[in-house]
Amino acid sequence: MPAVTVENPLTLPRVTAPTDAVARPVLTVTTAPSGFEGEGFPVRRAFAGINYRHLDPFIMMDQMGEVEYAPGEPKGTPWHPHRGFETVTYIIDGTFDHQDSNGGGGTITNGDTQWMTAGSGLLHIEAPPESLVVSGGLFHGLQLWVNLPAKDKMMAPRYQDIRGGNVQLLTTPDGGALLRVIAGELDGHQGPGITHTPITMIHATIAPGAEITLPWRADFNGLAYVLAGRGSVGSERRPVHTGQTAVFGAGSSLTVRADERQDSHTPDLEVVLLGGQPIREPMAHYGPFVMNTKDELMQAFEDFQKGRLGTVPAVHGMTEGGL
């Protein structure tokens, strides 16, 4: 799990929660069910079974892989539409190509993030490059959906191409964790992702036996998803392991600790930490569209069927089942 790393975390700026911070309790821990997405790549549905009031403004998150593909096996998604939210694709291992009907897109690889604001709507495709299909190899990443408030749902689509080398790297006072701030802010340190809805997204690597207690905005929710390894969350040290999501309650700091012993193939605890300012608006979500009302959803499907969300570039063909 390379993503972005450093030889010595103690060379990085250090983050700690203030002594008067209020520890967030752990409300619940859920286990992600496994499934398949797109043309058949394996995913874990990180937010399955969590009440939306704890997720808002996040809608869903899939852990893609971790999977070692044989030659000819790598898979992606066919052309499909989106409207009303943002997709955040973070590649930890491997390579993914993106393209949309507006001419946006690119290639992302180890530690890169592609942030697509679907806004008023577009068509896009995500697939491994031909070289990876031929050779096979390791593939591991995340896709997060972030809601847009009603005022921004019909904004013009856009892409942000966030290279791994541009993420904000931080550590804790003892150097026991590497914190990659992809978007938002942590203790005054700003990540490169520009967001419409205020959020924080961090990929933390925590060494065995190390503990992190981070300041966390009191007006944000708090979520921790375990990509790999074992540990505990909250001051009560509630156990968590790969594929589990912890939901934190109110407070101004959150705590995650790595177990002293990890699995042989997982040397550290790998966690994605998410926080966001709830939008608190009605949400109507079906398939590839996230709107505020059922009528808006019906309009989105009608616009897609009539070609108003764009057309697939001529060098491609619309793959059936692209929803």
Side-chain angles (χ1 to χ4, degrees):
M1 189 177 293
V4 178
T5 189
V6 294
E7 191 75 25
N8 180 10
L10 287 172
T11 62
L12 301 172
R14 304 181 196 189
V15 176
T16 187
T19 55
D20 60 349
V22 177
R24 287 177 174 249
V26 177
L27 301 181
T28 184
V29 173
T30 60
T31 301
S34 297
F36 292 91
E37 186 55 76
E39 297 170 338
F41 60 84
V43 298
R44 285 190 174 104
R45 308 288 191 190
F47 295 161
I50 301 175
N51 191 297
Y52 182 64
R53 74 176 186 275
H54 297 314
L55 298 176
D56 184 13
F58 307 110
I59 301 163
M60 59 152 275
M61 186 168 72
D62 284 346
Q63 180 180 6
M64 306 179 293
E66 183 176 4
V67 59
E68 183 75 45
Y69 283 122
E73 285 188 342
K75 300 174 177 67
T77 65
W79 283 95
H80 58 284
H82 286 308
R83 171 181 279 179
F85 66 102
E86 300 182 287
T87 66
V88 182
T89 306
Y90 173 50
I91 297 299
I92 301 168
D93 292 289
T95 306
F96 228 27
D97 287 340
H98 283 236
Q99 186 180 3
D100 74 21
S101 53
N102 287 349
T107 298
I108 50 176
T109 187
N110 303 340
D112 296 338
T113 301
Q114 191 140 82
W115 201 295
M116 185 184 81
T117 303
S120 60
L122 43 61
L123 309 177
H124 85 144
I125 187 172
E126 302 159 295
E130 185 63 29
S131 59
L132 182 62
V133 175
V134 170
S135 66
L138 186 62
F139 180 77
H140 189 199
L142 286 176
Q143 187 167 95
L144 171 71
W145 288 15
V146 184
N147 202 4
L148 287 170
K151 66 181 180 64
D152 293 328
K153 283 194 178 294
M154 296 299 287
M155 68 176 293
R158 76 171 185 188
Y159 263 107
Q160 294 178 70
D161 189 30
I162 303 171
R163 292 293 141 183
N166 293 330
V167 302
Q168 175 69 64
L169 300 181
L170 306 170
T171 191
T172 46
D174 63 357
L178 174 60
L179 308 172
R180 306 168 186 87
V181 184
I182 297 167
E185 176 267 343
L186 181 64
D187 196 29
H189 301 277
Q190 193 73 36
I194 300 169
T195 69
H196 294 281
T197 304
I199 73 165
T200 295
M201 179 180 182
I202 297 167
H203 174 192
T205 298
I206 309 172
E211 181 176 284
I212 62 173
T213 297
L214 305 179
W216 211 251
R217 278 181 52 167
D219 59 336
F220 277 20
N221 57 4
L223 303 162
Y225 176 72
V226 182
L227 289 166
R230 296 180 174 275
S232 60
V233 287
S235 56
E236 60 269 49
R237 293 196 174 185
R238 186 155 175 183
V240 290
H241 58 74
T242 303
Q244 290 192 315
T245 301
V247 177
F248 292 89
S252 55
S253 71
L254 55 79
T255 297
V256 181
R257 185 180 188 278
D259 284 355
E260 297 279 355
R261 297 185 62 182
Q262 300 291 331
D263 298 334
S264 58
H265 65 284
T266 306
D268 303 298
L269 175 65
E270 304 282 350
V271 181
V272 172
L273 302 172
L274 296 168
Q277 192 172 64
I279 296 173
R280 295 192 176 98
E281 293 177 350
M283 185 180 71
H285 171 204
Y286 189 81
F289 305 124
V290 183
M291 305 304 292
N292 292 103
T293 68
K294 183 178 178 181
D295 286 347
E296 290 172 344
L297 273 184
M298 293 174 65
Q299 184 65 54
F301 275 104
E302 179 182 329
D303 289 347
F304 166 58
Q305 290 163 355
K306 293 186 175 180
R308 297 173 186 148
L309 300 191
T311 57
V312 176
V315 294
H316 295 277
M318 187 69 177
T319 306
E320 290 191 17
L323 296 184

